[in-house]
Amino acid sequence: GESVGLHLPTLSVQEGDNSIINCAYSNSASDYFIWYKQESGKGPQFIIDIRSNMDKRQGQRVTVLLNKTVKHLSLQIAATQPGDSAVYFCAEMYGNKLVFGAGTILRVKS
Amino acid sequence: DAGVIQSPRHEVTEMGQEVTLRCKPISGHNSLFWYRQTMMRGLELLIYFNNNVPIDDSGMPEDRFSAKMPNASFSTLKIQPSEPRDSAVYFCASRPDRGLYFGPGTRLTVT
């Protein structure tokens, strides 16, 4: 029979533009969050993390925003490059368990 | 640092056979996790260890799956007997104080 996979949202951006990838997490007790990038055929790669006592954290070209009131996390990528094309996952940690969201496909158009 | 090492990278086996996946975590990381990734279900946590002790195996699908961590530098995930629905990419990841670092995965195909 035909298999039905996860339907991942896709974000298409022009090279050089900024990208914003959003994520809703499920557990209000989660105290640590991580964004991952996964390229085809590779394992998830750590991008940036944030603890629940912060609402913003910046890295190189990336910023993570956390809104605990509405359980929302976002990843901003500045000056998006073709090499940023990948699937991006947010993950929430409670206790020692890291649980992943479904992911968002980022496509960068040159 | 070589990162998390997994072997084999690809495994093709027939239904009913035993499959053993191997993982070497990053030295000094005290937690190790096994995940499975499929198109249907995304990334699922199967089991994790802390200081070589299994802490939570509630994600292990059924008794056909077992995992061990005999020492801080080695873990195995075994499927016996394997079934076609076990076909997936299996990731091992290890954790220091913050972050979780993944290996390249083992792509398992059960025919």
Side-chain angles (χ1 to χ4, degrees), chain B residues 3-99:
Chain B
V4 176
I5 298 172
Q6 291 186 248
S7 65
R9 293 296 311 278
H10 302 272
E11 177 81 31
V12 180
T13 191
E14 291 183 348
M15 183 174 67
Q17 296 297 306
E18 177 181 296
V19 174
T20 299
L21 311 181
R22 296 174 177 80
C23 174
K24 177 176 166 51
I26 295 171
S27 177
H29 289 193
N30 57 7
S31 296
L32 183 141
F33 299 72
W34 282 100
Y35 282 84
R36 176 172 69 176
Q37 187 174 38
T38 61
M39 288 296 293
M40 292 285 292
R41 302 172 68 92
L43 269 162
E44 301 173 277
L45 176 63
L46 301 177
I47 185 171
Y48 74 91
F49 296 83
N50 199 39
N51 293 321
N52 312 340
V53 176
I55 303 299
D56 186 339
D57 65 354
S58 59
M60 295 285 261
E62 48 198 272
D63 292 345
R64 297 184 298 107
F65 285 68
S66 62
K68 294 181 180 179
M69 191 165 185
N71 57 62
S73 59
F74 184 66
S75 177
T76 59
L77 178 67
K78 185 176 292 186
I79 308 172
Q80 164 70 30
S82 57
E83 296 182 3
R85 60 193 168 121
D86 302 331
S87 297
V89 181
Y90 290 81
F91 289 103
C92 175
S94 68
R95 184 177 184 215
D97 289 339
R98 62 192 299 165

Side-chain angles (χ1 to χ4, degrees), chain A residues 3-7 32 34 36 38 41-46 49-51 54 57 89 93-102, chain B residues 9 31 33 35 37-43 45 48-50 55-56 58-59 91 95 97-105 107:
Chain A
S3 63
V4 178
L6 294 170
H7 292 286
Y32 179 54
I34 308 176
Y36 284 90
Q38 187 175 25
K42 296 184 179 180
Q45 176 188 357
F46 177 99
D49 61 357
I50 188 168
R51 296 196 187 277
M54 302 173 69
R57 189 155 188 254
F89 295 94
M93 183 167 279
Y94 43 92
N96 205 21
K97 273 176 109 160
L98 191 67
V99 177
F100 283 77
Chain B
R9 293 296 311 278
S31 296
F33 299 72
Y35 282 84
Q37 187 174 38
T38 61
M39 288 296 293
M40 292 285 292
R41 302 172 68 92
L43 269 162
L45 176 63
Y48 74 91
F49 296 83
N50 199 39
I55 303 299
D56 186 339
S58 59
F91 289 103
R95 184 177 184 215
D97 289 339
R98 62 192 299 165
L100 183 66
Y101 295 88
F102 283 77
R107 180 174 293 277

Side-chain angles (χ1 to χ4, degrees), chain A residues 9-101:
Chain A
T10 299
L11 175 66
S12 293
V13 299
Q14 195 67 39
E15 181 179 359
D17 287 352
N18 296 334
S19 302
I20 299 176
I21 302 171
N22 295 303
C23 174
Y25 63 92
S26 58
N27 193 328
S28 56
S30 295
D31 57 5
Y32 179 54
F33 305 87
I34 308 176
W35 278 101
Y36 284 90
K37 171 187 180 184
Q38 187 175 25
E39 297 173 281
S40 181
K42 296 184 179 180
Q45 176 188 357
F46 177 99
I47 302 173
I48 191 168
D49 61 357
I50 188 168
R51 296 196 187 277
S52 60
N53 60 352
M54 302 173 69
D55 53 21
K56 180 179 180 179
R57 189 155 188 254
Q58 287 184 288
Q60 188 175 20
R61 278 203 309 122
V62 295
T63 300
V64 54
L65 299 177
L66 174 63
N67 184 331
K68 294 182 289 293
T69 303
V70 295
K71 293 191 286 186
H72 183 268
L73 202 62
S74 68
L75 177 70
Q76 300 177 358
I77 304 173
T80 313
Q81 303 168 359
D84 295 327
S85 293
V87 179
Y88 288 80
F89 295 94
C90 68
E92 59 182 304
M93 183 167 279
Y94 43 92
N96 205 21
K97 273 176 109 160
L98 191 67
V99 177
F100 283 77

